[in-house]
Structures are given as C-alpha cells and as structure tokens.
Amino acid sequence: MSDSARIVIIGGGVGGASVAYHLTQLGERDVVLLERDELTSGSTFHSAGLVGQLRADPTLTRMNQYSVELYRTLDAGWNECGGIKLAATPERMAEIRRQIGWARTFGLPLEEISVAEAVELFPLMDPEGVVGAAYLPTDGQVDPSQLCYALATRAREGGATLRTRTRVLGIKVAGGRVTGVRTDQGDIDCEIVVNCGGMFAAEIGRMAGVRVPIIPMSHQYVVTDAFHDHTGLPTLRDPDLLVYYRQEVQGLVMGGYERTCAPWTVTANAFDAIPPDFNGRLLAEDYPRFEEISDNSRVRVPAMADVGIRKLINGPEAFTPDNEFCLGETEVGGFYVAAGFCAHGIAGAGGIGKVMAEWIVEGEPGMDLWHMDVRRFGRQYRSPSYTIKRSVENYETYYDIRYPGHERSAGRPLRLSPAYGWHAAHGAVFGEKSGWERVNYYAANEGGTEDERPIGWAGRLWSSAIGAEHRATRTAAGLFDESSFAKIEVSGPDAADLLEWVCDNRVARKTGAVTYTQALNRRGGIECDFTVTRRGEEEFLIVTGTAFGSHDLGWLRKQAALRGSKARIADVTGQYACFALWGPRAADILAGLTPDPPDFPFMSARELTVGDVPVLALRVTFVGEHGWELYCSTEYGLALWQTLWRAGEPYGLTAGGYRAIDSLRLEKGYRVWGADIGPETTPYEAGLGFCVKTDKEFLGGDAIDPAPERRLRCVTLRDPRAVALGNEPVRLDGQVVARVTSGGYGYTARESIAYAYLAAEPGAQVEIEVEGRWVAGSVVKSPLVP
C-alpha cells in the first residue's frame, strides 16, 4: 500500500464512496478510501433504500434533489416510483399543506391528492381514517448496495484508490492537524482524513481526540413474501401510524419508528466500542419491540395481517441527537466527518458527497450547512448519558408533528442562568437552546385578548403573554435574561489585526467602542454576525447568538490559523451573566442604581456599578428601544437581576422572554443569522451594506456586489392573523420567486410580518402561501416601528 496520499477516506459505505467520487470530479486524484471489511458492510447493505427529497430544511432539500439527479445517471437500480405521504388527522394535513408550500420554492412537483387518488396509486392501502395526502412523483427508491458500488466504480475511474480489508488503528495528529493514518496494512501520511465511518464514526473520532456524537440505534423493518401483482407502487409513508412501505418485487418492505427504541453498544456512562468483527452483520431479531409497528402496519395495509414474513432486518443505524447529519471539519485541522445519517443517508448520499468534496477542496462549504456541521454540538455532548437521552427522544418522536415553538424535553435542565430560580418562581415557561434553559415567556403575564392568536399552525403554542411583554417593552421597560448569548474573547498583540481582517466593519476603534459587524467567507457570504466591543488595546469581546458560539469560535480560530495569527481566542460564555434592560423608562430605572451617569452614546460600552454589582454596560439593543445589555461575572448574576427588578417595578418594568424579543426585532428589521442571513447571502443583499467598510481589506470584500439584484425585503400581510414562519413561498406577478426567511406578528405594528429576498421595491404587491392559502401582502419600508 502507498505510504502517502493527500486525502484518506475512512469507510466504504455509500457516504465514503460518494465523497471519493465527488473529490475526483473536482480534480483530486491522490485519494485513498479505506474499508475495514468489504464495501457496504456497515449500515449501507441493510438500508431500506427510500429516497425522499423534501425536508423542512432548504439546504437538505437541495442536497436530496441533487441525489436524485445523480442516481438517474447511475446503474444502481434507481426506481422513480414517486412517494405518497398520508394524513390521518387535520393537524397532519395542515403540516402536509405547509410542506407543499415549501416544495414550490424548490421547484419540486409535490401536490395534494385526494384519498381516492392515493388508493388508486397504492391499491393495497385501506383509506379508513385518512383525511388527505400528498404525492411527489420524483421520489423513489434505489438499491443501496448497487448505489455504493456504482459510486465506488466512478471514484476508481476518476483516479481514487479503494482498499478493502484494511482496518484503521489510529489517527496521527501533530500541531492540531492530522498528519496520517495507522492501519493494519501500514501507515499512510496524509493532509486530510475524512471520517465516513457510519456507526463506527464515534470510535474513529476518538482516535483523533474528537467527539462525534452519534448513537447506533437498532432500526428494524420486514420484507414480506410475495402477495400481490401490482407494479410501480410508490413509496408510502403514514407518519400518524409511524410506518413506511415500499415495493419489493411482489411483496413489500415495511418499517417505522417505534415509541420504545433501543440504542446499541452504548450505556449511560460509556460509549462501548462496536465489536471488531461486526462486519456485514445484523442484530438479533426483536419481534416484541417491532410489535407496535407491525400492528400499525395492518391498519393501513390489511394484507399485512396475513402475509408471510420473509425476514426481519434489524440493523444498527447511526443517529445524531438532533436528527441532522454530522458533516465538516472538526477542531482538529484536516480531520473531516461525514457520518450520522439518521436512516436517511441513502436519500442524502449524493448531496453529502458533493458538499463534502467542495468543503474539502475549497476550505469552506458552498452552502449553509451549519445545522449539519459537526461543530454545532456543545461540550455537553461529550457526555454519553446526555447524548443518549437526546438521541432516544429524537428517534422516538421521529414522525411527530413539530409545531412552531416545539421544545424538546430530554436532558433538561442543564445549563442555567444564575437567575433561573427567580424565573421559575415567577412562572417562566422555558425553552432550550444549546443546552441552555431560556425564558420563552412568563405565564404570569398572560391574560390579554385572544383576538391576536394567529390562525392555524402559528397559533398552536401561542401565548397572550408574548404580546403583553412586547408592549410593556415598547411603552415602559422590559427586562430580559440573555446569559445564554455566546461570548468570545479575542486578545493579544495580534487581536486587532485579526479582527480587522475577519470583519467587514471597522472594529479596532477606540476602547469602549461597540461595533456591529459581519464576518464573511471568500464568496462574500455572511459567516458570522455579531458585536465586537473593544475593552482594551489588546482585548476584544464578541457577543453572538446562543446557538452560534461554537460556529463563530471555530471560524475565528480557523482564520487565525490560516493567517498565522497568535491572537488568543477563548469561549467565555459561562463567565458572564447578561441582562438586557430596554424601553422608554430604562434610563430612569438604571439612573437610580448607579453613581455613574449612564448617558454614554449608542454603540459604546462603560464599566459601571449597578447597585452593589460591578457591570460592563453595552449601549446596544436587539429590540429597537433605548437601553443596555448589562454584563457581570456569573456569581453576581442573581443579585444584579433582583436589583434591576426591584428598582424597575415602580416604572412598570416587565420581565420578558425570547418570544417577545423575536416579535420586537421583526418590527425593527433586525436580522437573525441562520434564517434571514447566512453564508449564501451578502451584506448588501441583506440590507447591511452600512457595515461594509470599503476603505480597508477584509476577507470576502472583493467578492461582494454593492448593487445586487435581490434584497431582503419586509412584507406585511393583509390578514394580520395569517402568520408566516419560514420557508413559505412568495409569489410576485403569479410566479414563485422566493421563500420567507422569517416571520411573525408585530404587536405594536399590529401586522403579520415576513421577510424574503426579492427583486422588488416597497409598494410591490406579493402573495405568501400560508397553510395552503395565498394571502395578499405588500412590500414595505423597514422598520415598521420608528
């Protein structure tokens, strides 16, 4: 075996074969794929082979669409039979209609069909209890093993080398980068390692000192004897019964997601290694656990009660705690991961290979992949028990309807603000983000009118407290706990130079200056969106969103490494509590608590004492009202909150949560990274051109067009109770031209608000599809509230 290669791929399943093929498509020839046994011998060989394209996530949908385009060109048994999704409840039908709207934005021909039409397409089904359905004719099924071999053949033809029966024993790491792979056939020096190990990915990651939070889950399905003479049956999913079906010659494959699942090779306190001889093998049949799925299958396809079962397949599938893939470069330079496919890796394999190859060759992803990025998982996922709890909950609720504001319950509470006890005692309704318990709203603030409850989907988990907290902030003052916001310190002699290169705005200004800025990728897309406070000559504090701390930290460290910067970059989130005091009476409240006049200008910072607490006060806002973000060392947090609360009560101070913050920021036009802005949008498109300083050099500056065709526009809907939430199609002059990035109800403007990227000016008339109904709207100037 060659003792060197530029890129080594570990894992000969469909993921590894796809990455190898797509790397050769981009001109990479020095690629070696290693497989411990034979190709497909991990999870690929026992996959069910369904290929569905539409997902709630736009990026994954585009990846799956590409997969179908690719599979049409391969000799892999591709069968474009179409796919049906059934609804047995009105709630499920509402979900399907939302999905039909999403599909329009991608050009997918998903259409609502009648129950009779569903029966005509899939005559084996019993329509009893079915209220509606959707059909996507371009969905299909593929032979997983044939797919893997077809991709592997193309990889070989492109110049890649494939080595089977070669077991990886270790990963060499030096200076924070991979330098090679140890195998039982010899060592290979390399620049890049791609961990495509499937259910073995966590074990392979540990060899490099990297935690890959995946859990092998026992996933079962049956293959029936022949019992019908139909041909060309579409795939059929009945999520209300937790089951799916596809044709297998003259029988069926039937499986599902049971409510009592079984993690494999994992205990609450340790990640046990998968047996070294577990190659091309299945787990023992577990008929008692499959009984729930089996019983449900007979409801929809009565013949399942009498048909013979040829075999029960029980194969481990790698699941992640949030049912998204694990992709991308890890904290070890050059060590990439493409694993954790959550039983839909066959549908995604083509797209996975494409985006991973681009990521490796270009050094950054070409699409917004943060929600699939392996670095999104916080340090809590190093815990086996936490990872199991989240993964089990995810598997057992796989087919559940998730309404806006749906919250997961496993592994909670974990990360707590110092004021958590106060919140709980005062009726807080908590949400969770990145392990943090955060106030969504206070039930004690409920009691307003129900007239503002959005109709349909958006009104499911709504509370009148949201409007009360919103209005109190606009008219008096609101107090919000933002301790979960991620905080990053950049310090040292190189700190200013690094941040000036990374940021599009000028951030190395005088001490005490606060700057709102973006960090761009080489294409000019917005990789990060945060504030930078200069605390000293060599000290800067970055504040970013709760869920984006690990992303922004990783991005900064990568750019520092590429420039050879010696700046120190540290995550200091847990060191500081942060409370936001905003509103017309905020100044009155704060003035009575500090001997230092809090009259410093907007976008600046000052050290104060508030009551007995030393505080860093930032004169910034995310709700568009006068006020401050007040930072203190965590041990002072509870005292600071109580001090502010007692002082504010005479002024009508109301404690509020993140639902009110979102409504307030919508009215003011403040953008949210990962929704309104991201790696595929530029500052000028996003209406953030004021941040771009063209008189300096910065990463991505030469790639942005100051006069883009489309811009992020604010739309108000004619029906204020028809609320768009994201991904709904936007129609201009009868044509679908965009999708909603984010939306909600503005309680001051009393408008349903949505944002979308449009080549249209204020005054243009548009329509947005909300749950199957086209609602008229107008493009308007932002902000809606002065």
Side-chain angles (χ1 to χ4, degrees):
M1 180 160 54
S2 171
D3 61 1
S4 67
R6 179 169 131 73
I7 302 171
V8 173
I9 300 169
I10 303 173
V14 69
S18 184
V19 172
Y21 162 63
H22 284 90
L23 282 169
T24 65
Q25 288 292 102
L26 295 180
E28 295 288 344
R29 299 290 180 263
D30 196 7
V31 178
V32 174
L33 184 149
L34 306 176
E35 165 54 44
R36 59 190 273 161
D37 193 61
E38 299 293 340
L39 298 181
T40 80
S41 62
S43 297
T44 298
F45 82 95
H46 60 69
S47 297
L50 280 71
V51 179
Q53 296 167 86
L54 183 65
R55 297 290 189 272
D57 168 61
T59 301
L60 182 54
T61 299
R62 288 156 61 191
M63 290 166 62
N64 289 354
Q65 285 180 278
Y66 170 78
S67 292
V68 168
E69 293 173 9
L70 175 64
Y71 299 168
R72 288 168 178 159
T73 72
L74 300 174
D75 182 15
W78 170 246
N79 177 11
E80 198 160 314
C81 56
I84 298 173
K85 183 175 182 179
L86 301 178
T89 64
E91 293 79 11
R92 183 72 67 181
M93 198 62 224
E95 178 190 52
I96 285 176
R97 288 183 177 131
R98 281 176 54 79
Q99 292 169 343
I100 291 171
W102 301 342
R104 295 188 210 281
T105 68
F106 302 110
L108 282 172
L110 182 67
E111 59 179 330
E112 182 174 341
I113 60 174
S114 67
V115 176
E117 289 172 314
V119 172
E120 184 177 354
L121 288 165
F122 199 97
L124 299 173
M125 67 171 276
D126 182 349
E128 181 68 28
V130 178
V131 299
Y135 175 60
L136 183 54
T138 55
D139 277 354
Q141 59 192 66
V142 70
D143 184 296
S145 293
Q146 285 188 48
L147 175 62
C148 182
Y149 279 106
L151 290 167
T153 297
R154 288 202 176 182
R156 282 195 189 96
E157 293 171 349
T161 300
L162 278 63
R163 300 287 184 183
T164 58
R165 297 198 173 275
T166 303
R167 186 178 295 269
V168 172
L169 304 176
I171 309 291
K172 298 178 183 179
V173 178
R177 289 195 62 86
V178 292
T179 60
V181 176
R182 292 192 302 108
T183 83
D184 60 357
Q185 304 296 316
D187 294 357
I188 307 175
D189 294 333
C190 62
E191 300 173 24
I192 293 170
V193 173
V194 190
N195 177 1
C196 297
M199 61 183 168
F200 303 96
E203 186 177 342
I204 295 167
R206 287 196 291 271
M207 296 178 184
V210 170
R211 171 80 183 98
V212 182
I214 64 169
I215 301 294
M217 304 290 291
S218 167
H219 185 70
Q220 299 187 108
Y221 64 85
V222 296
V223 181
T224 73
D225 290 335
F227 71 97
H228 66 82
D229 57 4
H230 299 288
T231 59
L233 292 178
T235 61
L236 180 71
R237 291 176 176 85
D238 190 336
D240 293 307
L241 289 173
L242 312 177
V243 295
Y244 61 79
Y245 310 81
R246 74 162 173 84
Q247 184 163 2
E248 177 70 10
V249 195
Q250 302 310 125
L252 290 177
V253 165
M254 183 279 293
Y257 292 85
E258 67 278 11
R259 295 293 188 187
T260 305
C261 66
W264 183 60
T265 78
V266 183
T267 66
N269 298 312
F271 291 96
D272 303 323
I274 296 171
D277 62 345
F278 196 85
N279 304 310
R281 291 171 52 188
L282 296 170
L283 303 176
E285 299 169 343
D286 190 349
Y287 278 101
R289 189 166 54 82
F290 196 67
E291 186 174 355
E292 175 185 21
I293 300 301
S294 180
D295 289 346
N296 287 355
S297 75
R298 298 166 188 162
V299 174
R300 191 57 58 225
V301 179
M304 294 296 295
D306 303 311
V307 68
I309 301 300
R310 186 151 54 92
K311 54 185 173 181
L312 172 65
I313 306 295
N314 186 2
E317 295 272 2
F319 274 75
T320 65
D322 61 2
N323 200 41
E324 297 279 6
F325 303 152
C326 278
L327 306 180
E329 191 173 14
T330 68
E331 62 267 30
V332 174
F335 186 67
Y336 288 79
V337 175
F341 297 161
C342 306
H344 54 280
I346 300 302
I352 290 166
K354 183 176 187 294
V355 300
M356 283 299 300
E358 293 169 348
W359 201 331
I360 292 164
V361 171
E362 298 296 329
E364 59 188 38
M367 304 169 71
D368 181 5
L369 292 168
W370 171 241
H371 50 290
M372 305 180 203
D373 195 312
V374 65
R375 297 169 300 162
R376 71 189 182 274
F377 294 106
R379 287 176 293 176
Q380 65 268 28
Y381 287 98
R382 296 177 185 176
S383 160
S385 62
Y386 187 79
T387 305
I388 293 170
K389 290 170 188 172
R390 302 293 278 190
S391 299
V392 165
E393 180 187 40
N394 175 67
Y395 185 99
E396 294 180 347
T397 61
Y398 188 89
Y399 275 141
D400 282 8
I401 297 173
R402 287 177 171 80
Y403 295 110
H406 168 84
E407 298 286 351
R408 299 182 63 184
S409 59
R412 296 178 59 186
L414 184 62
R415 304 176 75 181
L416 306 179
S417 158
Y420 174 80
W422 189 98
H423 301 321
H426 287 77
V429 176
F430 290 100
E432 178 267 334
K433 182 168 282 191
S434 297
W436 282 95
E437 293 296 314
R438 312 195 318 168
V439 178
N440 280 339
Y441 57 86
Y442 293 87
N445 291 330
E446 292 179 337
T449 176
E450 288 284 305
D451 292 345
E452 292 176 320
R453 181 185 293 273
I455 57 176
W457 201 262
R460 289 283 176 174
L461 300 177
W462 178 86
S463 168
S464 60
I466 303 167
E469 294 164 10
H470 173 122
R471 291 191 176 98
T473 305
R474 289 274 191 252
T475 58
L479 183 61
F480 301 89
D481 189 340
E482 296 182 333
S483 297
S484 67
F485 275 16
K487 309 160 195 87
I488 301 169
E489 278 186 353
V490 183
S491 60
D494 291 352
D497 286 343
L498 174 64
L499 290 176
E500 280 297 317
W501 167 249
V502 169
C503 298
D504 62 353
N505 208 339
R506 191 169 295 284
V507 298
R509 302 189 290 130
K510 64 181 181 180
T511 298
V514 180
T515 306
Y516 171 55
T517 185
Q518 295 78 47
L520 310 184
N521 55 39
R522 289 187 303 168
R523 304 182 310 280
I526 301 171
E527 280 292 340
C528 311
D529 181 70
F530 45 55
T531 60
V532 181
T533 301
R534 189 165 199 172
R535 302 196 66 184
E537 187 66 23
E538 299 181 355
E539 184 180 356
F540 297 82
L541 176 66
I542 291 173
V543 179
T544 188
T546 301
F548 311 135
S550 58
H551 173 276
D552 294 0
L553 184 73
W555 182 259
L556 290 167
R557 285 176 170 168
K558 181 171 183 176
Q559 303 315 312
L562 290 173
R563 288 180 65 81
S565 172
K566 296 181 180 179
R568 294 184 295 274
I569 304 171
D571 181 356
V572 295
T573 300
Q575 296 180 26
Y576 297 98
C578 173
F579 306 130
L581 176 65
W582 291 316
R585 306 306 302 273
D588 297 325
I589 296 168
L590 191 60
L593 294 172
T594 177
D596 308 295
D599 57 355
F600 48 98
F602 184 58
M603 299 304 286
S604 63
R606 184 177 294 178
E607 302 278 354
L608 305 173
T609 57
V610 177
D612 298 332
V613 178
V615 164
L616 173 66
L618 271 61
R619 182 68 174 80
V620 296
T621 178
F622 194 55
V623 301
E625 294 295 331
H626 181 88
W628 297 265
E629 288 180 355
L630 305 171
Y631 294 81
C632 69
S633 185
T634 302
E635 70 270 22
Y636 294 110
L638 179 58
L640 178 59
W641 180 273
Q642 291 176 326
T643 297
L644 293 166
W645 178 251
R646 287 193 294 265
E649 282 189 292
Y651 295 94
L653 179 67
T654 297
Y658 278 86
R659 299 281 181 81
I661 289 177
D662 191 56
S663 174
L664 290 157
R665 71 95 191 166
L666 281 168
E667 291 183 336
K668 289 291 185 174
Y670 294 156
R671 280 68 166 129
V672 171
W673 193 86
D676 302 308
I677 56 177
E680 298 181 63
T681 55
T682 71
Y684 290 109
E685 289 177 318
L688 300 174
F690 64 90
C691 292
V692 179
K693 296 299 180 279
T694 57
D695 60 347
K696 70 163 191 166
E697 291 188 12
F698 57 90
L699 179 61
D702 57 353
I704 49 178
D705 179 0
E709 292 184 5
R710 62 172 196 162
R711 295 181 185 272
L712 188 63
R713 297 299 191 188
C714 181
V715 175
T716 58
L717 297 180
R718 195 165 298 165
D719 181 352
R721 297 183 65 195
V723 174
L725 299 163
N727 289 335
E728 292 89 350
V730 183
R731 197 162 65 181
L732 177 66
D733 296 329
Q735 298 294 319
V736 173
V737 295
R739 64 177 181 84
V740 172
T741 59
S742 68
Y745 183 74
Y747 291 88
T748 302
R750 300 185 70 84
E751 299 270 15
S752 175
I753 305 166
Y755 288 87
Y757 282 90
L758 296 166
E761 299 296 324
Q765 300 303 298
V766 299
E767 295 172 292
I768 296 178
E769 186 178 10
V770 180
E771 296 183 39
R773 178 170 68 99
W774 287 101
V775 182
S778 301
V779 178
V780 298
K781 291 182 178 180
S782 180
L784 291 173
V785 175

